[in-house]
Amino acid sequence: MFSHMVVGSNDLATSKTFYDALFGAMGAESGKTDALGRLVYAHRGGRFVITKPINGDPATAANGGTIGFAMDSPDEAKAWHEAGVTHGGTSAENPPGERQTPMGRIYLAYLRDPDGNKLCARCKVGD
């Protein structure tokens, strides 16, 4: 359904350090800066872009918004979360772990990036 996601940042160098570690934990390559100065990551058929806001106003995190990333396993989600916390992010919501939901058992790990955007690692656990 989605082709790409874009978040704003007030400090692209700090974002690159954070997201290189975060996506590296998922097996992705480091981000590349495009001709417009945006930081671009491509992995598993999707694109994630970090940019200074086009309108020149400061970047702010979406209130109530979460960007979810599909993980292959709880171990990958744990590594993703640890990489994020180690590289400038903060743990958010409940501690990473398994949850029982109406859709079955899932493993979730939440972070806020250095600009406050809420991110989630998610994978299905069992049947």
Side-chain angles (χ1 to χ4, degrees):
M1 176 182 332
F2 301 102
S3 64
H4 66 284
M5 299 281 181
V6 179
V7 296
S9 175
N10 296 305
D11 184 340
L12 291 175
T14 296
S15 289
K16 181 162 177 31
T17 299
F18 175 80
Y19 282 105
D20 278 0
L22 201 68
F23 291 126
M26 298 169 61
E29 293 182 14
S30 295
K32 308 291 186 237
T33 303
D34 71 7
L36 299 175
R38 302 174 300 187
L39 188 56
V40 180
Y41 293 85
H43 188 59
R44 296 183 183 158
R47 294 177 82 71
F48 190 80
V49 180
I50 301 105
T51 187
K52 291 197 177 258
I54 294 169
N55 66 4
D57 289 344
T60 59
N63 185 21
T66 302
I67 298 171
F69 296 96
M71 300 288 147
D72 288 334
S73 69
D75 287 340
E76 185 177 57
K78 290 174 196 173
W80 176 93
H81 186 268
E82 184 176 319
V85 170
T86 301
H87 291 87
T90 55
S91 192
E93 305 294 332
N94 294 321
E98 196 173 304
R99 317 280 199 281
Q100 181 63 45
T101 73
M103 298 169 289
R105 290 182 7 234
I106 57 174
Y107 186 95
L108 297 172
Y110 287 92
L111 287 170
R112 289 211 180 259
D113 75 4
D115 288 289
N117 297 296
K118 188 164 72 169
L119 313 171
C120 177
R122 179 188 182 277
C123 71
K124 187 143 176 71
V125 179
D127 294 327

